[in-house]
Amino acid sequence: MVRGLPAAPRRCFVLDPLDSMDRASIQERFGIVGESDVIKNVIDQARQVADTDITVLLQGESGVGKELISQVLHELSMRRHEQMVVVNCGAIPEGLIESELFGAEKGAYTGAVEERVGYFEEADGGTIFLDEIGEMPKNAQVRLLRVLETGRFTRVGASQQQQVDVRIVAATNKDLAEEVQKGNFRKDLYYRLSTVLIDIPPLRERPDDILPIFETFLHEFSQEYSSSRKQLTADAEELLESYRWPGNVRELRNIAEQVAVLMRTDEVSADDLRPLLRDLGQAAASTDLMRVEPEPQDPGAGAGTEDDLRHRELLYRAILEMRMDMRNLKERIDSLMSNVGVVVPREVAERGDFPSDYDDFVVVNSEDGPTTSPPHREREQRGGGEVDSMMRDVIYEVEESGPARPTRPRTDRPSAPEPDPPPSAEAEAEIEAGPTEADAGDPGELPTLEESEKQLISRALKRFDGNRRKTAEALGISERTLYRKLKDIDEDL
């Protein structure tokens, strides 16, 4: 009996619908509108490289749809069943971009309270889309180059390398070749990223696609906002086709949304559209604005125009911030000055004739004697005289049972004595008259010089109702000397 060979196992192949999609199906599947040759070329390039793991660099102006093409590359690849991680490199601070991309160990830096998984680990087995790759710092470019070459990386704060299987799709709105020449981007990384370079043209280079895209957006927004379908006039269509569209498809989408919401009539003319076409702040006063070509510039003189504008913007912003800071500082100073109070003894404040206006007070420093408060200094110096000679009168309360007390506490640091001016006529008359019987007590005993000085100061203060300036003038001494003697009187008490 001869035994036959075992039958070969049957294999079933399942055809994925995405594998056999043509250009029209891709456009319908991902919402890519346009029949121009340039957009067809972009879709064909994406179809050819989608099912490989080759690195792709998408280059084009802002708003042309680079992220949409990256979705086409991922959904048509063998990695479509895994996730696609989108990373905006321009939105991550320079100090955090390495930990965001490659992860960080616990305690690797201040605030790292737990282990962090980076974007490359999250995208393991799938696709990572690095948008705005031209904004990546130089130190992060070195580590990205190593991941592209070996698939290995190290977390921040770790020593063990990790292996990942990730397909990288990058996008930029800059000319990376020019950035390499300027030294802003690594040459080896540029060559590694641009294995396949897909250049997405701006909207102004495919004017045949403007109206179909606009009609598609207008239909979507009309259904979303339950508004009537708008119809463009011939001049409105001509205006849309001749406009430069600096914001590309993103700006066209915004215009369509405004038309669907703001326009009251069903027919939209060029006059209705013209105020909406801002062209980065320049109102479209006429249709001639739409196709203005840039003026020719000297190659040597125009190389740094963009950098000059950026530096000027930074300077304007810094000046504006300084102005705001000065305004806030002024408001705080005004608030502090409005809350300045006067410290006086309770019995003085309870008096009925206690002044309520702060202009009746002065600030007395321990070193320089009485000086005016800052809010009144300028007003008191208008006459051109000395501040001390124009000092405001301050009421000095005198208690009946003892010598006068100053209304503010003083420090114990003594001040240098000043030469006393010659006494006035009133003071000489009182000094010659001597103390009265009420003040002297026993007429047979002569008071000491210190006691006589205290009694004379007390009498002078009573005569002038506690006015220290007039008291000092009458006694022929300076106000500083009078303050010092009053302080000594308080210390003796």
Side-chain angles (χ1 to χ4, degrees):
M1 180 176 180
V2 179
R3 302 179 59 183
L5 296 175
R10 294 183 178 180
R11 295 184 179 181
C12 297
F13 294 92
V14 179
L15 184 62
D16 196 316
L18 292 177
D19 294 334
S20 58
M21 293 180 67
D22 56 4
R23 185 193 308 129
S25 301
I26 292 176
Q27 290 186 253
E28 183 180 0
R29 168 79 166 79
F30 296 97
I32 303 176
V33 180
E35 295 297 330
S36 60
D37 294 337
V38 288
I39 196 64
K40 291 179 180 179
N41 184 34
V42 170
I43 298 175
D44 291 340
Q45 285 182 295
R47 289 176 57 199
Q48 291 176 3
V49 300
D51 57 350
T52 65
D53 286 340
I54 196 170
T55 303
V56 180
L57 176 62
L58 305 176
Q59 190 167 282
E61 296 181 4
S62 178
V64 295
K66 296 186 290 295
E67 186 171 353
L68 185 60
I69 301 300
S70 69
Q71 294 177 2
V72 174
L73 292 172
H74 175 70
E75 293 296 334
L76 297 182
S77 69
M78 301 300 295
R79 300 173 181 267
R80 56 181 168 268
H81 301 294
E82 302 293 337
Q83 65 174 338
M84 174 181 173
V85 178
V86 180
V87 181
N88 190 343
C89 300
I92 304 176
E94 182 176 355
L96 298 178
I97 189 167
E98 292 191 28
S99 61
E100 293 290 324
L101 291 177
F102 309 111
E105 295 291 333
K106 180 178 179 181
Y109 53 88
T110 304
V113 296
E114 60 183 5
E115 183 183 88
R116 173 172 178 77
V117 177
Y119 290 127
F120 273 91
E121 291 185 69
E122 293 182 8
D124 190 15
T127 305
I128 184 169
F129 175 54
L130 300 178
D131 196 10
E132 303 296 342
I133 190 68
E135 305 294 337
M136 180 174 289
K138 280 291 192 66
N139 54 352
Q141 293 178 22
V142 178
R143 302 192 63 176
L144 177 60
L145 178 62
R146 181 172 179 82
V147 177
L148 285 171
E149 292 177 346
T150 65
R152 295 179 178 272
F153 69 92
T154 305
R155 284 183 178 178
V156 177
S159 58
Q160 184 178 1
Q161 291 187 347
Q162 298 190 26
Q163 181 77 35
V164 290
D165 179 19
V166 177
R167 194 224 183 133
I168 296 179
V169 178
T172 179
N173 58 2
K174 296 182 177 181
D175 187 353
L176 289 188
E178 183 179 351
E179 294 296 315
V180 170
Q181 294 179 358
K182 293 180 179 180
N184 298 329
F185 201 82
R186 292 182 61 91
K187 182 185 298 185
D188 47 5
L189 179 59
Y190 170 68
Y191 291 142
R192 191 65 178 82
L193 286 173
S194 60
T195 306
V196 173
L197 177 61
I198 300 179
D199 192 2
I200 305 176
L203 191 59
R204 61 181 174 272
E205 295 183 4
R206 44 191 182 110
D208 296 338
D209 296 338
I210 294 178
L211 290 181
I213 297 176
F214 185 83
E215 293 290 345
T216 302
F217 285 143
L218 190 60
H219 177 69
E220 293 178 358
F221 289 124
S222 298
Q223 292 183 337
E224 179 179 353
Y225 298 112
S226 300
S227 61
S228 59
R229 182 68 181 270
K230 305 295 188 299
Q231 185 69 30
L232 295 176
T233 61
D235 58 346
E237 294 179 353
E238 182 181 357
L239 180 62
L240 292 179
E241 291 178 345
S242 60
Y243 185 58
R244 284 186 56 83
W245 297 109
N248 294 291
V249 180
R250 184 181 292 116
E251 184 180 4
L252 182 63
R253 182 180 186 275
N254 294 338
I255 297 299
E257 186 173 10
Q258 294 181 61
V259 170
V261 175
L262 300 179
M263 298 301 172
R264 301 292 184 182
T265 59
D266 294 339
E267 189 176 71
V268 181
S269 63
D271 294 335
D272 297 330
L273 290 177
R274 193 169 285 114
L276 304 179
L277 304 178
R278 290 168 288 185
D279 195 10
L280 297 181
Q282 299 178 359
S286 65
T287 56
D288 295 337
L289 175 66
M290 307 310 163
R291 281 190 176 274
V292 175
E293 297 295 336
E295 297 181 359
Q297 298 180 356
D298 185 9
T305 302
E306 184 177 354
D307 293 338
D308 293 342
L309 294 177
R310 185 177 302 175
H311 294 162
R312 187 181 304 173
E313 181 182 358
L314 293 176
L315 288 176
Y316 286 159
R317 186 177 301 175
I319 293 174
L320 180 61
E321 291 178 355
M322 290 176 60
R323 182 178 180 182
M324 297 298 296
D325 292 341
M326 293 295 295
R327 181 180 299 176
N328 295 336
L329 182 61
K330 181 180 178 181
E331 292 177 356
R332 292 186 180 181
I333 293 177
D334 293 341
S335 176
L336 291 175
M337 294 305 300
S338 63
N339 295 328
V340 173
V342 180
V343 180
V344 295
R346 181 182 298 275
E347 58 270 16
V348 176
E350 292 177 352
R351 287 174 50 185
D353 57 347
F354 181 72
S356 60
D357 189 2
Y358 290 163
D359 291 348
D360 294 336
F361 296 88
V362 295
V363 178
V364 180
N365 298 327
S366 59
E367 297 180 355
D368 302 330
T371 58
T372 55
S373 56
H376 314 298
R377 182 174 301 165
E378 179 181 357
R379 186 166 45 188
E380 292 179 352
Q381 291 180 347
R382 290 176 182 174
E386 296 293 335
V387 179
D388 291 339
S389 62
M390 300 184 65
M391 188 71 65
R392 297 182 180 274
D393 297 343
V394 180
I395 303 303
Y396 188 88
E397 183 181 5
V398 180
E399 298 181 359
E400 298 295 335
S401 59
R405 294 178 179 270
T407 58
R408 294 176 182 269
R410 307 293 198 278
T411 59
D412 296 336
R413 183 165 56 177
S415 58
E418 292 184 355
D420 296 339
S424 62
E426 295 180 357
E428 290 181 354
E430 292 192 7
I431 293 175
E432 292 178 358
T436 59
E437 292 182 1
D439 297 331
D442 187 359
E445 296 182 0
L446 292 176
T448 62
L449 182 60
E450 184 178 1
E451 293 175 350
S452 299
E453 187 180 62
K454 294 179 181 179
Q455 294 173 4
L456 186 58
I457 292 175
S458 178
R459 290 177 56 195
L461 288 171
K462 291 179 181 179
R463 169 172 293 187
F464 297 105
D465 296 330
N467 191 309
R468 287 170 286 182
R469 183 175 63 82
K470 294 181 178 180
T471 300
E473 292 178 356
L475 295 177
I477 60 177
S478 65
E479 292 186 46
R480 184 180 300 177
T481 304
L482 178 61
Y483 293 145
R484 187 171 63 253
K485 292 184 179 296
L486 290 174
K487 178 183 176 182
D488 295 339
I489 294 174
D490 290 339
E491 291 178 353
D492 293 342
L493 296 177

